Amino acid sequence: MPLLKIQASVATPDPSQVNRLLKQLSSQLANHLHKSEAYVMTAFEADIPMTFGGSEAPACYLEVKSVGTISPLQTQAISQDLCQILEDELKIPKNRIYIEFNESKGSLWGWNGTTFG
């Protein structure tokens, strides 16, 4: 039910690096949201043309969606960890990363032919 979607302006990394990154981010998101990683989905898109602050320097946009509420303490911790991981792995400065957090009602999240609500 949690989803992390990443769009980055950097060139597509090696597939093994992408897989390692997605697994690391999946684990972190599950831990922060106190949800089973069995339901976490991560997606990564590279080579997305984007600007940030009028500059074409490396930048990244993330969407974090989850069923239920996400507290301000959780969003702060998630932001800190995800930005650090992306800076370390993709060399995108933390100050060039935006994260959008979205809470969803269980009835608005489908899976396995049904919904979570």
Side-chain angles (χ1 to χ4, degrees):
M1 80 197 97
L3 166 69
L4 172 60
K5 183 178 178 182
I6 305 159
Q7 294 177 309
S9 65
V10 297
T12 304
D14 178 83
S16 64
Q17 182 184 7
V18 172
N19 289 335
R20 185 178 68 249
L21 174 65
L22 291 177
K23 288 177 183 178
Q24 181 180 13
L25 294 169
S26 176
S27 174
Q28 287 295 317
L29 189 60
N31 287 335
H32 282 295
L33 295 175
H34 309 292
K35 298 200 177 180
S36 170
E37 190 176 4
Y39 295 101
V40 176
M41 178 182 279
T42 56
F44 179 77
E45 296 175 276
D47 289 316
I48 304 294
M50 62 176 66
T51 62
F52 189 114
S55 167
E56 295 174 3
C60 191
Y61 170 73
L62 288 75
E63 292 179 32
V64 174
K65 298 182 181 190
S66 184
V67 171
T69 59
I70 309 171
S71 76
L73 288 175
Q74 286 174 304
T75 59
Q76 177 64 36
I78 292 167
S79 180
Q80 183 178 20
D81 283 353
L82 299 187
C83 286
Q84 187 63 57
I85 291 168
L86 292 170
E87 186 174 65
D88 291 346
E89 292 292 324
L90 300 178
K91 308 305 180 215
I92 300 172
K94 290 184 251 186
N95 67 347
R96 295 193 53 81
I97 300 172
Y98 270 158
I99 304 175
E100 178 183 1
F101 294 92
N102 291 292
E103 302 169 333
S104 181
K105 294 179 185 177
S107 62
L108 298 176
W109 199 271
W111 171 73
N112 198 25
T114 188
T115 65
F116 286 101

